[in-house]
Amino acid sequence: MTDVILVINCGSSSIKAAAYAVEERPAPVWKGNITGIGSAPVYRALSGTAAGERMALATDMTTHRSLIHWMLERLGQEMPSLRVVAAGHRVVHGGRHFDAPALIDDTVLETIQGLSDLAPGHQPHNLSGIHAIAEAWPEIPQVACFDTAFHRTQPRVAQLFALPRHFADEGVLRYGFHGLSYEYIASVLPRHAGSQANGRFIVAHLGNGASLCAMQEGRSVATTMGFTALDGLMMGKRCGDLDPGVIMHLLRDRGMSVDEVYHLIRRESGLLGVSGISNDMRDLLESDDPRAQEAIELFVHRIVSQLGALVAQLGGLDGLVFTAGIGERSAPIRERIAARLAWLGVRLDPAANAEGASCISTTDSALPVFVIPTDEEGVIAAHTRTLACATPRAQRREREALACS
Ligand code: ADP
């Protein structure tokens, strides 16, 4: 039997899961995910002999909780030699309460529950994951890893909205998200950038959700997402920065309901809304429809505009990192962004960029540009190992002693 940490990352319509050996090893021993929750759920095995297998699931399995239970059975069938001894969860919102991962107890659970209103599309699903594991293995420790925690180092002024100050006291602040991804990048940056990693870096996490983080000495000093993950850059389906007057216009003058507006800015905007074609950057890059081209132009425009603001906050820039789906895999988007950053002295090496090399800038570029694949699940596994399996060797020795007695 191999003791493993199970990592669960529940999104609004997906569940990503991975198992990592307790004994420190960076790569997962099992991986699987379920997508299409709420419409047509599909399971994909991503490791072992079943890797690549796709399985359509019964459409009446609509809750994250029931699907996690199904997935746990599946894990048992695919990998009967694994024994789950701890679980780690991605939890989107930690509010002001959490600036680090936390071992889950009743108080932590209550606090996470209390923050659900701040991330209604994600937090209830994160909680479902925690409850499902507690039902399956009530005795194992669970750890919550927060997407907001990495940004708690932002100076107060970067966290404030220009609203009457009692709102800030009540928690209406710019929190920022994608913190687990940024934490991973900060942890491996020295491998890529050497001692320069301590300088002023901007990391562009460009996936379905997208944001930028300005870091100094590996800590977040500013980010483009705010109170919710709707703020900042244009995303696959989310609008990003929007004049609050537009929301008022839609509600008051167009008679849209609150739910309709919320759906519009979360599910019908961004690349999908502007192109009218797709939220997937690959579809837009392949299309010669002018609407697709305009959506890409706006996506890049927003990135370079907000990146400029972050450079000003950092007082200069020593390096740039691209990560997540688009950042890691789309050479044309990286090229278009870099071309608009020529004023900073950024120069890309076309061949290195085309192959997605680790460093894609030329030797005479004023600053290095890196492509670093992110690993949010690996970060969760590492925190869970530290908080819930602090002394794996001692535990193993204890088990061996018990087995011998
Ligand atoms: P999530 O935010 O859901 O974790 P990812 O980081 O996996 O998303 O990014 C998914 C997005 O990345 C896709 O929707 C697609 O737009 C984009 N993407 C993936 N591969 C490519 C590629 N080769 N070229 C351009 N875009 C890509």
Side-chain angles (χ1 to χ4, degrees), residues 158-176:
Q159 296 183 48
L160 287 177
F161 289 109
L163 289 170
R165 57 188 310 119
H166 69 86
F167 285 105
D169 299 339
E170 292 156 13
V172 183
L173 291 167
R174 300 189 69 261
Y175 289 100

Side-chain angles (χ1 to χ4, degrees), residues 60-326:
D60 60 354
M61 287 216 287
T62 50
T63 66
H64 284 66
R65 212 151 159 165
S66 59
L67 286 161
I68 290 174
H69 279 297
W70 181 90
M71 217 174 187
L72 298 182
E73 267 176 41
R74 179 75 196 175
L75 166 63
Q77 290 158 11
E78 280 178 32
M79 305 288 281
S81 64
L82 303 187
R83 173 172 48 202
V84 177
V85 297
H89 299 265
R90 175 181 176 209
V91 176
V92 164
H93 223 301
R96 283 177 299 175
H97 310 271
F98 298 104
D99 57 7
L103 197 57
I104 299 173
D105 59 16
D106 289 348
T107 315
V108 169
L109 199 58
E110 229 171 80
T111 312
I112 296 173
Q113 244 146 9
L115 293 164
S116 283
D117 285 353
L118 300 186
H122 286 94
Q123 200 93 333
H125 302 311
N126 303 153
L127 282 161
S128 299
I130 297 169
H131 290 309
I133 297 295
E135 282 157 7
W137 298 295
E139 72 290 355
I140 71 167
Q142 300 200 64
V143 171
C145 299
F146 302 94
D147 248 337
T148 45
F150 186 73
H151 300 296
R152 300 308 297 143
T153 51
Q154 288 183 105
R156 177 169 159 85
V157 75
Q159 296 183 48
L160 287 177
F161 289 109
L163 289 170
R165 57 188 310 119
H166 69 86
F167 285 105
D169 299 339
E170 292 156 13
V172 183
L173 291 167
R174 300 189 69 261
Y175 289 100
F177 298 86
H178 292 138
L180 297 167
S181 172
Y182 293 128
E183 185 183 343
Y184 175 76
I185 300 295
S187 73
V188 297
L189 198 53
R191 269 189 239 157
H192 298 262
S195 58
Q196 268 184 316
N198 266 334
R200 299 158 300 182
F201 266 78
I202 290 181
V203 182
H205 176 111
L206 308 178
N208 263 321
S211 69
L212 303 175
C213 177
M215 291 182 193
Q216 190 139 25
E217 295 181 7
R219 290 151 70 92
S220 171
V221 294
T223 187
T224 54
M225 279 178 170
F227 183 59
T228 69
L230 287 167
D231 199 10
L233 303 180
M234 173 182 179
M235 304 177 220
K237 295 180 185 173
R238 290 171 248 171
C239 61
D241 267 5
L242 184 68
D243 175 352
V246 173
I247 305 271
M248 296 316 298
H249 167 71
L250 298 177
L251 290 171
R252 212 171 37 200
D253 308 326
R254 298 258 186 139
M256 287 175 77
S257 71
V258 171
D259 284 347
E260 283 167 344
V261 173
Y262 191 45
H263 188 76
L264 175 83
I265 60 179
R266 238 165 39 106
R267 298 253 168 243
E268 296 176 340
S269 300
L271 293 173
L272 174 65
V274 176
S275 70
I277 297 170
S278 170
N279 63 303
D280 193 313
M281 185 58 87
R282 286 165 289 200
D283 297 336
L284 303 186
L285 285 165
E286 277 166 20
S287 168
D288 48 19
D289 189 314
R291 296 173 307 161
Q293 294 316 311
E294 190 169 69
I296 296 173
E297 211 173 298
L298 183 56
F299 182 78
V300 171
H301 173 79
R302 288 288 186 91
I303 291 169
V304 297
S305 311
Q306 298 192 23
L307 191 140
L310 293 185
V311 172
Q313 289 181 61
L314 284 168
L317 193 62
D318 300 314
L320 175 64
V321 177
F322 286 103
T323 192
I326 299 171

Side-chain angles (χ1 to χ4, degrees), residues 5-11 14-21 25-34 46 71 87-91 143 145 147 178-185 205 328 373-385:
I5 294 161
L6 187 63
V7 171
I8 305 271
N9 178 353
C10 287
S14 68
I15 300 166
K16 295 180 192 164
Y20 293 77
R25 254 175 262 142
V29 291
W30 173 84
K31 238 179 152 174
N33 69 24
I34 294 175
L46 298 171
M71 217 174 187
H89 299 265
R90 175 181 176 209
V91 176
V143 171
C145 299
D147 248 337
H178 292 138
L180 297 167
S181 172
Y182 293 128
E183 185 183 343
Y184 175 76
I185 300 295
H205 176 111
E328 290 167 28
T374 195
D375 184 6
E376 289 153 301
E377 281 82 23
V379 170
I380 297 170
H383 285 307
T384 307
R385 195 174 279 126

